[in-house]
Amino acid sequence: MTMIAACAVIACAFDATLAVADTDDDSQLVYCLATDSRDALIDAAVALGLAQRSGNGLVVGGEILDVQAWRGVRPEDFRRTCEALSAAKRASGPSALASALPFLTGVTSALLAFAAALALASVTRGRERAAHLRSASDDFRQAVEAYLDGWDKTHLRVEATGRRSALLSRLGVVRTAHRRWVTVEAVEHELVGGAVGQAISQPSADGRDLTADLKAVHDDVLRIARALEQPLWPHPGMHSLSGRSA
């Protein structure tokens, strides 16, 4: 049963191949017998040395024949001439590349426009995040300095804690978008568990001079903001802590 089925498949494939071949032969025959192709067919027969021209007919064996009569008398010569004429027509027609070129150009233009739009959106988004990050860092730095220098520690600590939360929120957005930027996590750690963070959370740490620590955190935030403004460039310094401010 399996052998029979296989033979049936092979037979169907063979029939399909013959059908395609027949279609090609038919289209070639229609082209060669068309009125517009008659002169070209006669010229092709003359070029191949199979006949001579006589007006709109062919001279074969001293007899003047039209194309249909010539086909009946010399079918092999007709077939040879028709195939040569059809091949010459295909060779002179536009190449597949030339035909596809307008489409490829359109697709390429669309892809370039899409890439440019993505790049512009990335740059715009990066600049917005950088501006928000700088603003949050400035507010935090001013709140901490006021807390360290002020007398009303309770109120100023609340203000500094709120500004720290706002800065951490902005850093969290950056960390989500750039998970390999370890500098962001390092700054977050400093704000929570570092000297500045401890000074805000623990009143006992008020007496320490945190000017250098506060500046280092602010400088790191500015480095992150500058990287955000250049989203199309690699930023290896964001992937390690070697480039951080001392």
Side-chain angles (χ1 to χ4, degrees), residues 27-221:
S27 61
Q28 182 174 281
L29 180 61
V30 169
Y31 168 70
C32 292
L33 291 178
T35 303
D36 294 341
S37 304
R38 182 181 55 193
D39 288 340
L41 183 68
I42 294 174
D43 290 340
V46 173
L48 293 174
L50 301 177
Q52 297 295 321
R53 174 185 282 277
S54 176
N56 295 328
L58 303 95
V59 179
V60 179
E63 185 179 0
I64 300 177
L65 305 171
D66 61 18
V67 171
Q68 284 285 13
W70 175 53
R71 178 192 174 202
V73 174
R74 300 287 180 89
E76 184 59 27
D77 289 354
F78 174 84
R79 181 197 61 77
R80 177 184 170 189
T81 304
C82 185
E83 288 180 353
L85 180 62
S86 299
K89 177 180 179 296
R90 287 194 297 270
S92 63
S95 65
L97 177 60
S99 300
L101 188 58
F103 172 75
L104 294 176
T105 301
V107 171
T108 302
S109 299
L111 290 176
L112 290 175
F114 180 68
L118 287 181
L120 179 60
S122 180
V123 171
T124 301
R125 183 169 56 250
R127 289 177 177 174
E128 290 177 352
R129 288 176 177 172
H132 291 153
L133 193 60
R134 287 195 182 95
S135 178
S137 183
D138 289 338
D139 291 344
F140 171 72
R141 186 176 186 180
Q142 293 171 9
V144 173
E145 289 175 345
Y147 161 70
L148 295 176
D149 297 336
W151 291 96
D152 186 0
K153 295 295 186 183
T154 301
H155 172 74
L156 293 175
R157 180 180 287 111
V158 172
E159 178 68 16
T161 301
R163 296 300 183 182
R164 177 178 64 179
S165 297
L167 179 55
L168 286 171
S169 177
R170 294 296 180 184
L171 288 169
V173 172
V174 177
R175 174 168 42 80
T176 300
H178 304 278
R179 297 186 181 278
R180 296 179 58 194
W181 287 11
V182 298
T183 302
V184 178
E185 295 184 12
V187 173
E188 290 175 322
H189 176 74
E190 290 291 335
L191 291 172
V192 176
V196 176
Q198 291 297 319
I200 298 173
S201 304
Q202 301 176 9
S204 59
D206 292 351
R208 177 178 173 180
D209 184 4
L210 298 175
T211 302
D213 300 278
L214 191 59
K215 181 180 183 302
V217 170
H218 185 67
D219 289 345
D220 283 339
V221 172

